[in-house]
């Protein structure tokens, strides 16, 4: 019986890095049995020509019927790359967000862990042809005679033909050649050369003989003595490893001298793998004592965690939420647990990292997409080993990291829409995904915000989440005074031409004179949102998208912010030949120009997507402002949350109307959150700050709620509307998006899709409609919105959506029609 069990064939179900609906089953060769398990990578053939690195989701003995199985080609991992809980998490993401497991795979793993492959053709030395071969086959064999192993791409180039694969297939059938997969990992360990004494000179007596032998070579003797000092080889303790580069720098010697000593047999040079992660040293600062209000909030959170898995900390700006987080992290570490600390913007990790590293030292790891891929791979591998990082700080992709002992997840600024992945799939929300991950791991979740999302606040008020309020700022600092400025009236009186009202100019000048700083918020980048001909009204538009081009003065280009298309500003209007082109509106670049003119003695910096392309640029801009080297910081929503600067006394919100007038049911909620968060950057130390809120509609109810810091009033007003019109948090939304290059075909497909959905869901279906931007990257877009009751069976809803999509995509047009789902769109 035991022998029969041992001879049973083993099969693996694998996840391919492709947008395919299911896993695929392969036969595992007997030689790989026992070393391939769930979570390992394997190399498998897929289709006729391609090989992919897949993730094993299941190992079993159930042979599928109806088709011939292919074999696993290679298993590169000695240990699983994914933990079992991660595979369950991937499956949930795929199911809930209606995307392929392969999409989750591509989003989750760093690029360095996805092996690339190229087919290599190998000549069979034992092959003997029974007769003359076709000319093309003989040509390939002749090339392989010169070099027995060659890539298909190299053979195609040498033959001067692109269609060499059919020739290779024919030779494969004749068994004249074989193919193998040359795997090239995207990640390579970082290696440095190190120096050590040769075995013959490691004793004290032998080392003295070496000193005597080098008496006439003073430079070589100096290098040897410096090595002895650095390594501690004569100290009686552990001998330290000495990097070759360090020995060169400390001894002042050249590489040639060290190589000469190696040539004499005194030194040995050897490579050693080193980590790319920067060592941070041990913790150097004690945890601060909490204020009475913070202590009450901390105790309240701990009490909530005894009965709830998720708790909302609703704390006003500058109330010291981060300090509470630090105390909770410390408690989790004492219990031997790991902590995941999520932030919505990469820009915020700089300040948060500094604060956390002062307390937790090298127990902290930072993980986000701005880090080099090799560093992300090292963190991933470190999380799988015994030396895993107890605290991980990162942006939304951090939820994919492996955690063995996850005990606490902190989602700071939980209301931020940047937690939602838009494109490509999976279109997941990191906050909601973190809640599910924590549930799978048995961990607790703390959601923190001064302006919670309506969904989170509703869950807290309904008792699904715990709720703790922190209503006063640290050290009793007053909330900033918010003053609305009616720019419509000022423009009518011709008292304001640019982006700055007279009151804002006056208050910024006063702040600068007092040695204080100012922040100016404008949620549009570029110099001007559009350019217009004064004579005929012509506006340049993107060739690929239904949007006007934004003028960027720095580059002298007009740029599409959707597809990146750019063109030079024309010297005259191409429509009428007029020579006067005017820029309309203003973005951060124009605000920066005006600020330099109005405040000539001030150092001005701008923080938006154009100025923060690299990780270093984030850190440089923020560190300069924190140190006082920059006096005025201008930015988009990047500067609206989480940043803590002690000398900011004035904040200017330059154009509130653009936030209030966006065609979205969340517009008022978002406008309140953005304005309240930006206002919270002022007056965080001692003196009360001032916020000047410029708007044409200064009497708008939302602006009044911001002035009063009345979150509850905003929530109740919006909740009443949302309930009446069947929107979240009372209903679930699924957006069905269809795209095609042919507008007519797309219109027909969208109407058919909507009809199929209405047959099942009735009046819950809205659309199809054109979105505000109805063409992006030459693809026309139609959207259908589905509103579903909270108590509805989500499994049945997903099944109906998939069935409708399959039916619409069937036939000839299905090859090019794109249909995808955005669950819980923001």
């Amino acid at each position: 019986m035991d022998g029969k069990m041992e001879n049973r064939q083993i099969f693996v179900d694998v996840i391919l890095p492709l947008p395919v609906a299911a896993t695929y089953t392969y036969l595992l060769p007997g030689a790989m049995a026992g070393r391939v398990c769930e979570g390992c990578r394997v190399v498998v053939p897929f289709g006729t020509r391609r090989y992919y690195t897949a993730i094993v989701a299941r190992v079993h003995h159930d042979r599928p019927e109806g088709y011939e199985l292919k074999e696993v080609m290679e298993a590169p991992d000695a240990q699983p790359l994914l933990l079992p809980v991660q595979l369950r998490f991937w499956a949930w993401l795929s199911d809930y967000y209606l995307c392929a497991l392969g999409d989750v795979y591509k989003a989750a793993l760093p690029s360095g862990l996805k092996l690339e492959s190229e087919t290599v053709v190998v000549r069979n030395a034992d092959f003997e042809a029974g007769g003359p071969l076709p000319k093309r086959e003989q040509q390939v064999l002749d090339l392989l005679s010169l070099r027995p192993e060659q890539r298909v791409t190299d053979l195609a180039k040498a033959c001067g033909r692109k269609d060499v694969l059919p020739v290779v297939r024919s030779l494969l059938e004749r068994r004249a050649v074989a193919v193998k997969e040359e795997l090239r990992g995207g990640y390579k360990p970082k290696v440095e050369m190190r120096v050590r004494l040769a075995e013959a000179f490691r004793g004290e007596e032998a080392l003295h003989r070496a000193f005597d032998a080098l008496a006439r070579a003073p430079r070589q003797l100096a290098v040897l003595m410096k090595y002895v000092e650095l390594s501690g080889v004569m100290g009686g303790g552990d001998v330290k490893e000495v990097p070759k580069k360090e020995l060169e720098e400390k001894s002042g010697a050249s590489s040639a001298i060290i190589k000469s000593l190696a040539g004499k047999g005194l030194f040995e040079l050897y490579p050693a793998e080193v980590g790319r992660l920067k060592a941070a040293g041990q913790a150097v600062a004690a945890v601060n004592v909490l204020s009475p209000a913070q202590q009450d909030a901390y105790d309240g959170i701990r009490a909530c965690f005894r009965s709830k898995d998720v708790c909302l900390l609703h704390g006003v700006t500058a109330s010291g939420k981060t300090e509470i987080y630090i105390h909770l992290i410390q408690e989790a570490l004492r219990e031997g647990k790991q902590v995941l600390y999520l932030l919505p913007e990469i820009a915020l990790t700089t300040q948060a990292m500094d604060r956390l590293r002062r307390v937790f030292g090298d127990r902290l790891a930072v993980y986000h997409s701005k880090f080099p891929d090799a560093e992300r791979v090292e963190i991933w591998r470190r999380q799988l080993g015994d030396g895993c990082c107890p605290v991980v700080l990162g942006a939304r992709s951090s939820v994919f990291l492996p955690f063995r002992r996850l005990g606490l997840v902190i989602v700071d600024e939980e209301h931020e829409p940047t937690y939602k992945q838009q494109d490509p799939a999976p279109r997941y929300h990191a906050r909601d995904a973190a809640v599910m991950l924590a549930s799978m791991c048995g961990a607790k979740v703390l959601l923190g915000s001064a302006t919670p999302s309506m969904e989170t606040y509703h869950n807290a008020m309904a008792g699904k989440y715990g709720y703790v309020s922190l209503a006063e700022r640290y050290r009793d600092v007053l909330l900033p005074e918010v003053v609305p400025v009616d720019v419509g009236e000022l423009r009518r009186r011709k008292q304001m031409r640019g982006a700055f009202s007279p009151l804002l100019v006056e208050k910024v000048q006063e702040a600068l004179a007092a040695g204080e700083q100012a922040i100016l918020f404008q949620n549009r980048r570029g110099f001007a949102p559009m350019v217009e001909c004064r004579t005929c009204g012509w506006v340049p538009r993107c060739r690929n998208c239904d949007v006007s081009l934004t003028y960027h003065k720095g580059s002298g280009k007009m740029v599409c912010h959707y597809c990146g298309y750019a063109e030079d500003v024309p010297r005259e209007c191409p429509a009428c030949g007029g020579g006067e082109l005017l820029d309309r509106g203003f973005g951060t670049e124009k605000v920066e120009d005006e600020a330099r003119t109005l405040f000539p003695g001030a150092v001005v910096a701008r923080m938006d997507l154009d100025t923060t392309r690299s990780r270093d640029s984030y850190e440089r801009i923020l560190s300069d402002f924190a140190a006082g080297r920059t006096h005025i910081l201008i930015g988009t929503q990047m500067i609206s949350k989480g940043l803590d600067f002690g000398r900011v006394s004035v904040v200017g919100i330059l154009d509130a109307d653009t936030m209030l007038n966006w065609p979205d049911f969340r517009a008022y909620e978002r406008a309140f959150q953005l304005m309240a968060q930006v206002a919270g950057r002022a007056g965080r130390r001692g003196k009360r700050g001032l916020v000047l809120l410029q708007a044409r509609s200064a009497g708008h109810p939302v602006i009044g709620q911001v002035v009063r810091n009345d979150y509850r009033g905003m929530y109740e007003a919006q909740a009443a509307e949302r309930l009446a019109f069947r929107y979240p948090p009372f209903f679930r939304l699924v957006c069905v998006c269809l795209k095609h290059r042919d507008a007519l075909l797309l219109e027909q497909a969208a109407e058919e899709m909507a009809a199929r959905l209405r047959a099942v869901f009735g009046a819950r279906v809205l659309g199809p409609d054109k979105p505000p931007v109805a063409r992006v990257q030459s693809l026309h877009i139609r959207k259908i919105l589905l509103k579903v009751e909270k108590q509805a069976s989500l499994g049945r809803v997903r099944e109906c959506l998939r069935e409708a999509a399959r039916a619409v995509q069937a036939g000839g047009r299905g090859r090019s029609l794109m249909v995808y789902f955005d669950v819980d769109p923001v």
Side-chain angles (χ1 to χ4, degrees), residues 504 519-522 650-654 678 690-694:
L504 179 57
I519 286 178
L520 303 174
F521 172 72
Q522 170 61 7
V650 176
V651 166
I653 299 173
L654 302 183
V678 173
L690 174 67
V691 179
L692 297 177
L693 199 162
Q694 298 184 169

Side-chain angles (χ1 to χ4, degrees), residues 17 66-67 229 311 333 346 369 447 526 604 665 700 730 750 782 817:
Y67 60 92
E229 177 190 335
C311 178
L333 296 185
I346 293 172
S369 59
L447 308 175
V604 181
F665 74 92
H700 196 287
F730 307 100
R782 294 294 181 272
L817 177 67

Side-chain angles (χ1 to χ4, degrees), residues 259-296:
K259 287 180 180 178
S260 175
L261 288 169
K264 291 181 177 179
L266 184 65
F267 279 167
E268 291 177 355
L269 303 179
Y270 64 100
E273 184 178 334
V274 293
R276 291 176 170 86
L277 305 180
K278 296 176 182 177
Q282 296 299 316
V284 295
V287 178
N288 294 329
V289 176
L290 297 176
S291 70
Q294 288 173 325
Q295 187 65 48
D296 288 344

Side-chain angles (χ1 to χ4, degrees), residues 85-101 104 399-400 426-440 732 794 798 802 823-824:
V85 69
Q86 287 176 280
L87 287 171
R88 295 200 304 275
F89 181 54
W90 283 20
W92 176 83
L93 283 167
S94 171
D95 185 52
Y96 185 83
Y97 290 104
L98 291 164
C99 65
L101 265 171
V104 181
V399 298
F400 293 116
R427 295 170 179 84
Y428 69 101
H429 198 298
R431 176 198 63 209
D432 301 338
V435 170
M436 178 54 65
L437 176 65
S439 174
M440 292 178 173
R732 294 184 185 276
L794 290 181
R798 295 188 200 100
R802 289 190 178 106
V823 181
D824 301 333

